[in-house]
Amino acid sequence: MDEQRVRERGPAQWWRYGPPWWHRADHGATEPSRSRLPSRSRLPWRSTVVLTVLVLVGSNFAAHQQPHREHLDVPARLLLLATCALLLWRHRHPVPVAFGTAGLALVYLAAGYPYGPIFAAVAVACFSAIVAGHRRAAWAAVGMLWVGHLLISLWLYRLLPPPEDRGANLGLEMIIATWVLIIVSVAELARVRREQWARERADRAQAARRRADEERLRIARELHDVLAHSISVINVQAGMGLALLDSDPEQARAALTTIKAASKEALGEVRQVLDTLRAPGDAPRTPAPGLGRLPELVEQAASAGLTVTVEGEPPRLPPGADLAAFRIVQEALTNVVRHSGSRHARVLLEPGGGELRLRIDDDGPATGADAGGSGNGLAGMRERAAALGGTIEAGPRADGGFGVLAVLPVDDRGDR
């Protein structure tokens, strides 16, 4: 559902969590600043070819503007091609590529060839290394290139071609250093943004998993409450029908009629729960049950031989609180039918003060060790109450019965 909404919102939403091309690469590293990213299945041929053409053409143009430097001969062009060719492996092996391009650029400059776009190849290689998380290696490669160029332009130029080279001054070197810092700073910003995208995607994935777990728990609670109650009624009526089949056929017929009605209702509620799985986001076909159906619970309990007394009027509640209150009463009465020898139960409704107090008591005694239920029902009630910020207290009473007290916070405006 979330992914569908992301697709419907278009490129603006994609860019919030990274540009569109970002999701086509495998960027699954949990710590991009310390770990190496997985290798891409394809080499970046297109970008490397485009950069190679720009470097070759730009170097020719730079050679015409720097006649005092050595001409671009075959070795120079081979150095340019080799430097650019290394960029094909900048994603798989960012550290060797960064040092390799910096070393070839130093050889190119030491040979006296003109300054030009070869530095762009080094910048791309170091950029890729920084973005991949290899910050120290990228800085070391850039530092090696700048220190080597500093030595060549200030001291070693007398021993290296071209013969008429007079070297450079410190002002020019500072300008070059400034450009290097700008390139590295941009790379660092890209790396930080990349890690932010990775964290955002991880947070979104974790939130999606959490919502899926909550939805599974909600559906499990719904199915448990629906099936446990209906099957308990069916079980009691089936036993009664079998016992009276020969002696009182009319009473047995009434038990079978109750079984049919209970099973039909259970099928309808199960279908409603499953519809939410088949069509997420759509409105349910039938309204969710609430305390307005409390008389139906009392009638079903009566058909199972349990007399239920209701004290208090059901208040108007928000849908979530109304459903939770209904399911809590339903599960509590189901436990009385299944696990208590009492044939009488009381339901007390006490709204007010921004909360609803639900008390369900029976007179006991318990018919087994699991007087309050098998555990799943009580756990489901506690989860429903906790989801609304409420509490559940359940346990044996002093007079031998069993009691359930649910406190659910509600909005007082729902009563108006």
Side-chain angles (χ1 to χ4, degrees), residues 253-331:
R253 182 185 299 273
L256 292 176
T257 303
T258 303
I259 290 174
K260 180 180 179 180
S263 60
K264 181 178 179 180
E265 181 181 357
L267 287 174
E269 294 195 16
V270 169
R271 188 178 296 112
Q272 178 184 352
V273 173
L274 296 180
D275 281 344
T276 62
L277 294 177
R278 297 191 182 99
D282 294 345
R285 298 178 182 178
T286 57
L291 289 180
R293 293 179 54 184
L294 194 56
E296 296 181 24
L297 283 182
V298 174
E299 184 179 351
Q300 291 176 359
S303 65
L306 179 66
T307 302
V308 179
T309 302
V310 179
E311 300 178 10
E313 291 295 326
R316 294 178 57 188
L317 301 174
D322 204 18
L323 174 62
F326 177 82
R327 293 303 188 196
I328 289 173
V329 175
Q330 184 184 51
E331 177 62 27

Side-chain angles (χ1 to χ4, degrees), residues 134-392:
H134 303 280
R135 304 171 59 194
R136 295 181 180 178
W139 279 86
V142 171
M144 179 188 73
L145 176 60
W146 185 73
V147 171
H149 177 263
L150 191 67
L151 292 175
I152 293 172
S153 60
L154 295 182
W155 290 285
L156 300 179
Y157 67 92
R158 301 181 183 88
L159 307 176
L160 299 173
E164 63 274 12
D165 191 7
R166 296 182 179 179
N169 54 46
L170 288 177
L172 179 60
E173 293 300 325
M174 294 304 297
I175 293 175
I176 295 175
T178 302
W179 276 106
V180 170
L181 289 177
I182 291 175
I183 293 173
V184 173
S185 298
V186 171
E188 288 287 348
L189 289 176
R191 178 189 60 82
V192 171
R193 184 55 178 160
R194 177 180 186 168
E195 294 178 358
Q196 184 179 0
W197 287 336
R199 287 193 298 270
E200 289 174 351
R201 287 197 306 276
D203 292 341
R204 291 173 61 205
Q206 183 177 3
R209 289 193 297 269
R210 183 170 61 251
R211 287 192 296 269
D213 292 339
E214 293 173 353
E215 184 67 11
R216 283 195 295 269
L217 287 175
R218 184 189 70 82
I219 294 174
R221 286 195 300 267
E222 288 293 318
L223 290 176
H224 175 273
D225 293 345
V226 170
L227 296 178
H229 175 76
S230 300
I231 292 177
S232 295
V233 173
I234 291 172
N235 180 62
V236 171
Q237 293 297 324
M240 183 183 302
L242 288 175
L244 301 176
L245 184 61
D246 296 327
S247 60
D248 193 347
E250 290 299 324
Q251 188 67 26
R253 182 185 299 273
L256 292 176
T257 303
T258 303
I259 290 174
K260 180 180 179 180
S263 60
K264 181 178 179 180
E265 181 181 357
L267 287 174
E269 294 195 16
V270 169
R271 188 178 296 112
Q272 178 184 352
V273 173
L274 296 180
D275 281 344
T276 62
L277 294 177
R278 297 191 182 99
D282 294 345
R285 298 178 182 178
T286 57
L291 289 180
R293 293 179 54 184
L294 194 56
E296 296 181 24
L297 283 182
V298 174
E299 184 179 351
Q300 291 176 359
S303 65
L306 179 66
T307 302
V308 179
T309 302
V310 179
E311 300 178 10
E313 291 295 326
R316 294 178 57 188
L317 301 174
D322 204 18
L323 174 62
F326 177 82
R327 293 303 188 196
I328 289 173
V329 175
Q330 184 184 51
E331 177 62 27
L333 294 180
T334 300
N335 287 339
V336 174
V337 172
R338 296 174 59 188
H339 307 291
S340 175
S342 173
R343 296 296 89 191
H344 182 265
R346 293 177 300 278
V347 177
L348 177 62
L349 304 173
E350 296 180 343
E355 64 183 21
L356 171 65
R357 295 173 63 87
L358 277 173
R359 180 181 292 276
I360 304 95
D361 297 318
D362 68 85
D363 299 329
T367 58
D370 51 349
S374 60
N376 293 330
L378 291 178
M381 287 192 286
R382 290 192 177 95
E383 291 171 358
R384 288 184 183 277
L388 298 173
T391 59
I392 287 284

Side-chain angles (χ1 to χ4, degrees), residues 3-165:
E3 296 298 327
Q4 182 181 1
R5 286 199 294 265
V6 170
R7 290 194 295 269
E8 291 173 352
R9 291 180 184 177
Q13 182 71 9
W14 296 347
W15 185 260
R16 179 182 177 186
Y17 298 101
W21 50 261
W22 177 267
H23 304 282
R24 292 197 295 267
D26 187 3
H27 300 279
T30 56
E31 298 183 5
S33 60
R34 297 184 182 181
S35 62
R36 201 175 189 178
L37 292 174
S39 300
R40 293 185 177 181
S41 59
R42 296 182 180 180
L43 298 177
W45 284 98
R46 295 182 181 178
S47 58
T48 303
V49 170
V50 172
L51 184 61
T52 302
V53 173
L54 293 177
V55 168
L56 293 177
V57 175
S59 297
N60 285 330
F61 180 79
H64 291 292
Q65 301 298 321
Q66 304 173 46
H68 60 282
R69 304 288 293 180
E70 293 290 327
H71 296 291
L72 287 179
D73 50 13
V74 174
R77 298 182 188 278
L78 290 176
L79 282 173
L80 293 175
L81 286 173
T83 303
C84 294
L86 283 178
L87 296 178
L88 287 172
W89 292 274
R90 64 182 183 271
H91 296 306
R92 296 185 178 183
H93 309 287
V95 174
V97 170
F99 280 101
T101 53
L104 290 176
L106 272 180
V107 174
Y108 176 88
L109 296 176
Y113 295 119
Y115 293 91
I118 190 173
F119 294 109
V122 180
V124 170
C126 293
F127 185 93
S128 298
I130 290 177
V131 171
H134 303 280
R135 304 171 59 194
R136 295 181 180 178
W139 279 86
V142 171
M144 179 188 73
L145 176 60
W146 185 73
V147 171
H149 177 263
L150 191 67
L151 292 175
I152 293 172
S153 60
L154 295 182
W155 290 285
L156 300 179
Y157 67 92
R158 301 181 183 88
L159 307 176
L160 299 173
E164 63 274 12
D165 191 7

